[in-house]
Amino acid sequence: MYLRLYEFLGKYDILYNLRFGFRSSLSTNHALVSITEKKRNSIDKGDFSCGVFIDLQKAFDTVDHRILLKKLEHYGIRGVTNNLFNSYLSNRLQCVSINGSDSSYLPLTCGVPQGSILGPLLFLIYINDINVCIKNSLVHNFADDTNILFSGSNYKEVAKNINEDLNLLCHWLRASKLSLNVKKTEFTIFSAPNAMISNDILNHKIKIDGKKLYQSNHIKYLGLYLDNRLDWKYHMMTLKNKLHRAIGILAKLRHYVPKTTTKLIYYALFSSQMIYGCLIWGQRKQCQTEIEKIQNCALRRMTFSNSECDIDALFSDLKIVKFKDIVTLQNILLMYRINNDELPALKDFFQHIPHDHGTRSQTLNLFEKPHVNSVMYGINSISYQAITSWNETLRKNPAFAELRYKPLKTAITKSFLLSYS
């Protein structure tokens, strides 16, 4: 039923384009790329953005069955199929078990069955029309994590439009019988360091359901800390602390386990932290340099090497890719999927070189670099850096354009490792 329902939703393009959670081939990375690129583009043009990060209370547990069935009917799931879902949701019982003692059973009147394959998909259908109720802002969803974003050059205009959308959102939440946690709902003003913006005025004006929202300089969203300058200082600070702790563990364990096991621990404790979201925050050279210094330290600890050792030889011997090359690899793999029309939600950020620029560019599927106004928010943007990585790679190795996703990933990784030898 899940496969048939998901195929039906895809065939008729029912699900909202910027809904990333619980969908095939869409990850937190793609949601973060869309959000941060919108903000970067706005700041690069001299505007600023207001992002409101919505926290829904027990969203999966408060889905109203009657409303869900109506929405399924609206999207074309009618008749016997709708009755099947009605039967699937109805007459479910639950109890509380403590120390082997069970309470009496009570019927579940709301909520999608969690732990089931259908539960998340039914929830996506339930909140699919949330963007329709928002008039001015752009809505991003990853499961129940919702972000609304509005950009402009005038703070009064931004405050007016955001408040209007938050008021409409309140009406939608009430109609859908969902609850909002105002205390955990925050907003941030994203702007360039030299922007003259009175954040205090906005802080007094951004409200939802008559309650003033808390303004934060950095917000944790999908595992990354987004700060109001998009310079990733706070995220880098927390990440470096985690990486140093992982190095401490490696330094202790290296005495008791073989090198192969130490390498497995490196990937589990160090690399997993290092590479998460690096496509988003790792485009700046400064970030790459800082993380690579810590990565070099990790490899020296793993191999009992001193600071004067040949660091390239360590990367080659261990067959570990340098951080800056990991970012380049992530850029190329992103562009591969863009080039193959696998990420329609991100296609607006990337444009192929026009046909009048010669047949070679068309054959290689090269992309045109976007026009930018600044280094920090233009040249360091994901779209600019990813297009640069993709174009340079295909110009050097035209055969890569014919490879599929996994062989391409393997070929590029091998080329990096060979460059260290």
Side-chain angles (χ1 to χ4, degrees):
M1 280 307 299
Y2 170 85
L3 293 174
R4 294 179 66 180
L5 178 59
Y6 192 80
E7 182 183 356
F8 175 83
L9 296 173
K11 181 180 179 180
Y12 295 101
D13 197 23
I14 292 173
L15 293 178
Y16 175 51
N17 203 31
L18 297 179
R19 180 155 290 110
F20 295 90
F22 305 124
R23 298 182 66 182
S24 175
S25 301
L26 292 176
S27 68
T28 54
N29 266 347
H30 302 128
L32 289 163
V33 166
S34 181
I35 292 172
T36 54
E37 282 300 275
K38 291 287 185 183
K39 294 169 184 174
R40 280 195 180 106
N41 290 345
S42 175
I43 298 173
D44 189 55
K45 294 175 184 176
D47 295 338
F48 63 94
S49 300
C50 179
V52 183
F53 297 82
I54 309 296
D55 185 79
L56 298 176
Q57 285 184 325
K58 300 183 181 297
F60 283 77
D61 295 329
T62 54
V63 170
D64 186 274
H65 293 168
R66 182 182 58 82
I67 296 174
L68 174 58
L69 292 169
K70 282 288 186 182
K71 290 189 177 185
L72 286 169
E73 184 179 5
H74 171 75
Y75 291 126
I77 300 149
R78 307 184 179 103
V80 174
T81 311
N82 194 281
N83 292 337
L84 186 149
F85 281 107
N86 186 15
S87 174
Y88 175 72
L89 295 168
S90 302
N91 301 319
R92 289 180 173 269
L93 302 175
Q94 71 172 6
C95 72
V96 177
S97 180
I98 302 176
N99 295 328
S101 300
D102 298 341
S103 69
S104 57
Y105 282 83
L106 292 174
L108 279 170
T109 58
C110 61
V112 293
Q114 294 197 42
S116 67
I117 191 171
L118 273 174
L121 187 56
L122 291 174
F123 178 76
L124 289 187
I125 295 171
Y126 192 78
I127 64 168
N128 191 52
D129 58 336
I130 188 172
N131 62 293
V132 179
C133 82
I134 303 295
K135 182 180 178 182
N136 310 300
S137 305
L138 190 66
V139 182
H140 288 83
N141 287 107
F142 192 93
D144 58 341
D145 289 318
T146 303
N147 166 262
I148 66 172
L149 180 69
F150 185 85
S151 301
S153 57
N154 185 291
Y155 70 84
K156 291 183 179 179
E157 174 195 2
V158 171
K160 177 183 176 183
N161 283 283
I162 285 288
N163 277 326
E164 182 178 357
D165 287 338
L166 290 176
N167 185 47
L168 293 170
L169 178 64
C170 271
H171 288 299
W172 181 89
L173 289 170
R174 290 194 186 100
S176 302
K177 297 187 177 180
L178 294 175
S179 302
L180 178 75
N181 190 339
V182 177
K183 292 182 179 179
K184 291 185 179 180
T185 298
E186 303 173 295
F187 78 95
T188 299
I189 307 299
F190 298 94
S191 62
N194 58 351
M196 301 299 294
I197 303 168
S198 176
N199 285 349
D200 291 334
I201 297 176
L202 275 169
N203 192 31
H204 287 289
K205 288 190 174 181
I206 303 298
K207 297 180 179 180
I208 188 166
D209 200 21
K211 298 174 183 177
K212 187 168 65 176
L213 295 184
Y214 173 74
Q215 180 181 355
S216 176
N217 289 329
H218 58 266
I219 290 178
K220 189 174 184 180
Y221 186 70
L222 301 180
L224 297 189
Y225 286 96
L226 308 178
D227 52 66
N228 60 344
R229 304 303 186 194
L230 282 185
D231 55 14
W232 306 104
K233 285 183 178 178
Y234 192 84
H235 181 77
M236 288 291 290
M237 180 182 69
T238 57
L239 176 61
K240 286 190 285 188
N241 288 336
K242 292 177 182 178
L243 295 181
H244 282 301
R245 286 197 294 270
I247 290 176
I249 295 172
L250 285 169
K252 292 179 175 65
L253 292 178
R254 63 181 175 165
H255 296 281
Y256 308 103
V257 296
K259 187 164 67 173
T260 53
T261 305
T262 306
K263 187 176 174 181
L264 290 174
I265 297 168
Y266 162 85
Y267 280 117
L269 300 182
F270 185 92
S271 182
S272 61
Q273 298 277 3
M274 178 183 69
I275 67 175
Y276 177 71
C278 66
L279 175 67
I280 292 88
W281 58 265
Q283 303 294 345
R284 294 182 65 198
K285 300 301 180 186
Q286 181 182 350
C287 294
Q288 293 179 13
T289 301
E290 291 180 24
I291 296 301
E292 205 157 283
K293 286 180 180 178
I294 302 175
Q295 188 186 23
N296 293 346
C297 179
L299 265 64
R300 287 195 293 266
R301 291 288 189 276
M302 291 166 61
T303 57
F304 296 89
S305 303
N306 58 36
S307 58
E308 297 178 358
C309 70
D310 184 352
I311 195 66
D312 282 351
L314 291 183
F315 278 100
S316 179
D317 179 54
L318 292 169
K319 292 182 171 53
I320 290 175
V321 180
K322 294 181 179 180
F323 177 73
K324 65 180 178 62
D325 292 331
I326 291 174
V327 175
T328 301
L329 175 62
Q330 293 291 326
N331 286 340
I332 295 169
L333 295 178
L334 173 71
M335 294 307 302
Y336 172 90
R337 299 192 60 194
I338 294 290
N339 188 53
N340 287 276
D341 297 322
E342 295 178 15
L343 298 173
L346 304 180
K347 65 180 181 180
D348 291 343
F349 300 117
F350 306 92
Q351 302 296 326
H352 280 101
I353 292 177
H355 288 189
D356 56 0
H357 284 224
T359 57
R360 178 170 169 79
S361 296
Q362 299 167 39
T363 304
L364 293 179
N365 292 307
L366 301 183
F367 285 78
E368 190 169 23
K369 291 183 182 179
H371 174 75
V372 296
N373 300 308
S374 66
V375 173
M376 183 173 178
Y377 300 105
I379 293 178
N380 288 329
S381 67
I382 301 167
S383 55
Y384 192 95
Q385 291 295 326
I387 289 172
T388 300
S389 299
W390 173 263
N391 289 352
E392 289 179 355
T393 300
L394 291 193
R395 286 190 176 110
K396 291 177 183 177
N397 303 281
F400 282 1
E402 305 301 323
L403 297 178
R404 297 181 68 85
Y405 186 88
K406 288 185 178 179
L408 176 64
K409 182 178 180 179
T410 301
I412 295 171
T413 302
K414 286 182 178 178
S415 70
F416 289 144
L417 294 174
L418 285 172
S419 69
Y420 308 152
S421 302

